[in-house]
Amino acid sequence: MPQPATPPPPSDAAVPAAGVAAAAAAAAPTERFAARTAGMTASEIRALFAVASRPEVVSLAGGMPNLAALPLESLAAEVGNLVARDGQVALQYGSAQGVPALREQICEVMALEGIRADPDDVVVTVGSQMALDLVTRIYCDPGDVVLAEGPSYVGALGSFAAYQARVVHVAMDEHGLVPELLRDALRSLAAQGITPKLLYTIPNFHNPAGVTLAVERRAEVLEICASYGVAVVEDNPYGLLGFSGRTYPALRSLDRDVVYLGSFSKTFASGLRVGWALVPPAVRDRLVLAAESATLCPPSFTQMLVSRYLAGHDWRSQIKTFTEAYRERRDALLDALETHLPDGCTWNVPDGGFYVWLTVPEGVDTKAMLPRAVTARVAYASGTGFYADGFGTRQLRLSYCYPTPERITEGVRRLAGVLEAELDVMRTFGTPARPALGAGGPQTPSPSTP
Amino acid sequence: MPQPATPPPPSDAAVPAAGVAAAAAAAAPTERFAARTAGMTASEIRALFAVASRPEVVSLAGGMPNLAALPLESLAAEVGNLVARDGQVALQYGSAQGVPALREQICEVMALEGIRADPDDVVVTVGSQMALDLVTRIYCDPGDVVLAEGPSYVGALGSFAAYQARVVHVAMDEHGLVPELLRDALRSLAAQGITPKLLYTIPNFHNPAGVTLAVERRAEVLEICASYGVAVVEDNPYGLLGFSGRTYPALRSLDRDVVYLGSFSKTFASGLRVGWALVPPAVRDRLVLAAESATLCPPSFTQMLVSRYLAGHDWRSQIKTFTEAYRERRDALLDALETHLPDGCTWNVPDGGFYVWLTVPEGVDTKAMLPRAVTARVAYASGTGFYADGFGTRQLRLSYCYPTPERITEGVRRLAGVLEAELDVMRTFGTPARPALGAGGPQTPSPSTP
C-alpha cells in the first residue's frame, strides 16, 4: 500500500462555511471556469473555415500552404525507412527540448537569414504556434501589454487573449512597422506607467498585411524596444518565401536578445506541426519547462521525419518550387484585382508569403458583407479579426496560397460582384448596407453560418 | 496523507516570491517574466533523466513504455502508404479538435472501459499531457485548489504549478483514493471557504502508487465531488494494461460530467504524442479554443497513422503482448525485491501498469540517497517529486516497464546494496546519512548531478 491512511483531520463542525459550499454546489461542476476563459473566443476567421471549405466556395480565406509539389513518393520511402530502421527511437518519448540533430539543422536553416545560433538555444515545438503560446505564458501576467502590428496574426491575438494580455497595435506602412509610431506608442504607455512586455512582430511578408519591414528600419525598431526594456518576439514563418529569392536579415541576426520563432509549416509540411523558438538562455530554461508542462515532449516521429527530409532532400530547391507556385498565384490575384474590382479599392503588392491586404471603399463593412460573399461562393478573412480593438472594418485579407490561379481569378470575379452590389445599395439608399443577420458572433461559430 | 487544513508552507514553489515585480523592473528585457514562472521548476525526476540514461545505469526511474514488441515492418509499410496515398491530407493542417475518423475510433477504445461517448465530445491532443495542461488552463485561476491523490503524477503537479494552482493531496490505501479522506479534505477546505476546482485522479494502476481504485468506491468518489461542486478529472493512460486482462468501469462511464483523459502512449507508441480528452460539451468548446491557441491543431500525420493502425492492426492483441511483457517484468521486480531488499521495506503488488511504490525503513531519505544509488549504477524516482508538499522522503518509485527482467533484477540487487549501506551508516552513527551534496536543486537540473 502506497501510504498509510492517516487519521482524518479534526472535525470542522464548529465552522459555519456551509454557504460557500452550497453556492458552489449549485453551479454545475463543469462550469466553474477560470477567469481567462472569458478571453477565449472563436476568431471570426476560424469560425468561417467550415463554410469556406465547401468545394463550391473559392476560399481566399485560409492560410493553408500548397503542398501539391511535395515529392510524396520519396517521402513515403523515407518515412517507411524511418520506422523500419529507427522505429524504437522515433516511436518513443524524446526530450522536451527536441531532437538534437534537428536542432542543429534548424540552425543551418536560420543561417540563411543571417542568424548565428547555438542548437542549445533552440526549442522545438508543435508548430511555432506552441512556441508563441509558451512565450506568452512565460512573459505575460494578466493585464500586461503586448505591442503588435495593426493588423496582426490572428493566432497571436488568440494566445495573448488566452493569457489575458492587452494588445496595443502599432500601425504599418508599405515598409512595415513605422518606428516613429512605435516610439509614440511606447512614450504614451510610459506616460501611463506602462511598460509593455513584448513587441510581437512579423517582419517578412506579414500576415495579414503582406508587407516587409524595411531593412533600414530593423536596427531602429530593436533600439527603440531595448531603450524601453521591451522584449522583441520575431515571428518568421514566411521569410524564405520571397519571390525574388531574396532574404532579409532577421531581427535576431542583429540582436541576440530577440526571441525568434520559426516553422517548417510553410517550407515543408504544416501537418507535421514542427516549429521552433530560438531564445536567449534565460528564456530557454523556462521555455523547456513550460514545454514539458504543455506536452512532455514534441513528437519524436515528426521531428525525425523533418530531420531526415532536411538531410536527404534538396530542401532549398523544394522551397524554390513552392515559391514559384505562390508567385504565379499572387500574379493571378493581382491581375484579377486590377481587372475586376470597382474603383476605390486599394491593396498592396506582396514580394513573398501568402497574403494581400485589401481596403474597400468607405461605407462597406467587410464583416457584414462576408455572408453575402459566401453566398456568392467566395470567402475571405474580414479585417476586424486581425485587430484586438475593432479596427479593420474596411479591410479584408485575401490568401492566394492554396487555390489554383484559375480559381483565384474566379474568386475575385465573384468578390467584385459582391462589392458592386454593396456599392449599388449604398448609392441607392445613401447608407452602408447592413445584413439582417450578423456574420456569426465570436461566441457562436457554426457551420451553418451564414 | 491529507493536508487539507494546512496553509501552504512559505517555501511552496508554486507561490511567487515576494518582490518579484520590483526585481523584474530592474531586470534585462528578456528577464521580465510572468509571476507564474516562479512555479515552473524542473522536477527532481526529470532532472535525473540525463544521468539515469547512461547505459551502465539500470534505470528504474523512467516511465518509457517498452516498444520492442511493435510490428515495425508492417508499420513501416502502413506509414509509407499513408504518405504516398494521403500525403496531401496527412501533411496539411487539420482541425483543432482532431481527425474525425480517429475521434470515432477513440470512442471504440473507450467502450472497453464502459464509456459511451459521442465523437463530437472528443478532443485530440498532443499526448494526454496537453489535455491535462489545457483543462487546468480552463479551470484554474491562480490560487485555486486542486485535489490530487498523494502521491500523484509528476506531470500533473507541473501543470498545476504552471497555472499557480495549489495542490491538496488526499491519501490512498491499497484500494486507491480513500473516500472518507476525500470527504474530510473537502469539509476542511469548505470550512476555510475554499471549494477546489478539480479532483485529479488516476484510478487504474496509479502512477506512481501502482494501486487501483476499488470498483465499489467509484460511485462514492463521484458523489462526494458532485456534492461539493468539484469537477473530476480522470487520467487513464494505463487502464487497458491490467495483467489479468480485466478492465474497470471508468469514472466517466458512471458520470457524464467527468473530464476523461486518454492516451495512445502506452497502448501504441509514445513518440507519436497522440492523446485525447473526452469532455462535457460546455468544456469541449473551451477546450477546442484553448487547443487552437496552444498548437492550432494536433499533427494530422500522427493522428492518421494512429487511425490506420487501429483500423488495420489487431491492436487488442498488441496490447495483450505489451501487457505480458510488463507482467514478466513486474514479476522479476517483485521477486528481486523479496530476495534482496533489507527488512523494513514495504511495497505494493500492482495488477497492471508500470510502477511499484516502495517505502524504505525510517531514517532513510530517498532523495538524499539517490546520488549514491546512481553512483552504484541504479536509478529510481524519489518520492518527494510526486508530492506538492514535501512528503515522500521515505518513498520511491520503481518502474519496471522498460528494462529487461535481468536488468531489473540486477538493478534491485544494486539498490539493496545502497540501502544496506545507508542502514549501516545509521546503525553506526545513529543518524540518517546525509550527502555532502544535494541531489540537484529543483532550479538547477544538470547532467552532472550528482
Side-chain angles (χ1 to χ4, degrees), chain A residues 203-248:
Chain A
N204 302 316
F205 317 124
H206 191 273
N207 177 8
V211 299
T212 293
L213 181 63
V215 172
E216 54 275 22
R217 288 185 180 179
R218 296 188 177 216
E220 191 178 358
V221 165
L222 291 167
E223 279 161 26
I224 294 168
C225 287
S227 72
Y228 280 86
V230 177
V232 175
V233 178
E234 174 179 30
D235 192 4
N236 188 29
Y238 309 103
L240 299 180
L241 299 180
F243 298 140
S244 68
R246 174 182 176 182
T247 57
Y248 297 87

Side-chain angles (χ1 to χ4, degrees), chain B residues 131-157:
Chain B
L132 177 58
D133 189 82
L134 296 182
V135 165
T136 311
R137 184 187 293 204
I138 289 172
Y139 274 98
C140 293
D141 286 309
D144 278 348
V145 168
V146 173
L147 296 174
E149 286 124 356
S152 187
Y153 167 53
V154 63
L157 300 182

Side-chain angles (χ1 to χ4, degrees), chain B residues 106-383:
Chain B
I106 284 170
C107 290
E108 292 166 28
V109 172
M110 291 189 294
L112 297 180
E113 292 170 275
I115 295 175
R116 293 180 58 187
D118 187 324
D120 281 353
D121 296 331
V122 174
V123 180
V124 182
T125 52
V126 180
S128 61
Q129 181 73 31
M130 178 173 159
L132 177 58
D133 189 82
L134 296 182
V135 165
T136 311
R137 184 187 293 204
I138 289 172
Y139 274 98
C140 293
D141 286 309
D144 278 348
V145 168
V146 173
L147 296 174
E149 286 124 356
S152 187
Y153 167 53
V154 63
L157 300 182
S159 280
F160 300 144
Y163 290 98
Q164 300 165 278
R166 181 159 75 87
V167 173
V168 172
H169 289 294
V170 181
M172 293 175 279
D173 61 19
E174 68 272 31
H175 302 297
L177 190 67
V178 181
E180 297 75 49
L181 298 180
L182 174 62
R183 203 187 298 273
D184 288 344
L186 283 162
R187 199 181 289 134
S188 173
L189 287 164
Q192 304 167 58
I194 296 170
T195 302
K197 283 292 181 71
L198 306 172
L199 167 68
Y200 169 78
T201 178
I202 306 168
N204 302 316
F205 317 123
H206 190 273
N207 177 7
V211 299
T212 292
L213 181 62
V215 172
E216 54 274 22
R217 287 185 181 178
R218 296 189 177 215
E220 191 179 356
V221 165
L222 292 167
E223 278 160 27
I224 294 169
C225 287
S227 72
Y228 279 88
V230 177
V232 175
V233 178
E234 175 180 28
D235 192 3
N236 188 29
Y238 309 104
L240 298 180
L241 299 180
F243 298 141
S244 67
R246 174 182 177 184
T247 57
Y248 297 86
L251 298 176
R252 171 58 176 73
S253 75
L254 308 174
D255 180 349
R256 299 184 66 86
D257 279 339
V258 167
V259 170
Y260 178 95
L261 311 182
S263 172
F264 290 105
S265 288
K266 280 82 184 182
T267 54
F268 178 27
S270 48
L272 301 176
R273 314 298 303 116
V274 180
W276 71 89
L278 169 67
V279 290
V283 181
R284 177 202 59 208
D285 295 346
R286 286 169 177 82
L287 187 59
V288 171
L289 289 171
E292 194 172 276
S293 160
T295 66
L296 286 186
C297 61
S300 307
F301 190 58
T302 53
Q303 292 180 81
M304 289 175 76
L305 178 55
V306 172
S307 180
R308 280 177 165 239
Y309 170 76
L310 293 173
H313 289 70
D314 185 355
W315 55 272
R316 287 178 187 79
S317 289
Q318 182 64 50
I319 291 175
K320 194 151 180 284
T321 303
F322 283 139
T323 308
E324 280 162 10
Y326 293 134
R327 185 173 48 195
E328 186 191 0
R329 285 161 163 77
R330 178 210 54 178
D331 291 344
L333 180 65
L334 292 176
D335 283 352
L337 293 174
E338 202 64 64
T339 306
H340 296 294
L341 282 202
D343 288 347
C345 294
T346 58
W347 57 89
N348 66 305
V349 175
D351 293 324
F354 287 5
Y355 308 109
V356 163
W357 186 242
L358 177 71
T359 299
V360 298
E362 189 158 354
V364 177
D365 179 328
T366 59
K367 186 173 169 183
M369 184 175 76
L370 186 53
R372 291 187 287 279
V374 175
T375 304
R377 292 169 296 131
V378 60
Y380 57 78
S382 49

Side-chain angles (χ1 to χ4, degrees), chain A residues 14-74:
Chain A
V15 185
V20 173
T30 55
E31 289 173 8
R32 298 180 59 237
F33 298 124
R36 69 175 66 83
T37 59
M40 294 181 183
T41 53
S43 82
E44 52 194 82
I45 292 149
R46 307 257 184 256
L48 178 76
F49 275 7
V51 182
S53 64
R54 291 181 197 157
E56 70 271 22
V57 175
V58 175
S59 179
L60 304 170
M64 291 204 303
N66 196 311
L67 305 179
L70 276 180
L72 293 186
E73 286 298 323
S74 76

Side-chain angles (χ1 to χ4, degrees), chain A residues 8 17 34 36 91 133 137-138 271, chain B residues 34 36 91 133 137-138 184 190 271:
Chain A
R36 69 175 66 83
L91 298 171
D133 189 82
R137 183 187 294 204
I138 288 172
Chain B
R36 69 175 65 84
L91 298 171
D133 189 82
R137 184 187 293 204
I138 289 172
D184 288 344

Side-chain angles (χ1 to χ4, degrees), chain A residues 11 75 96 124-125 153 164 169 284 290 307 313 345 437:
Chain A
S11 164
L75 282 175
V124 182
T125 52
Y153 168 51
Q164 299 165 277
H169 289 293
R284 177 202 59 206
S307 180
H313 288 72
C345 294
L437 293 168

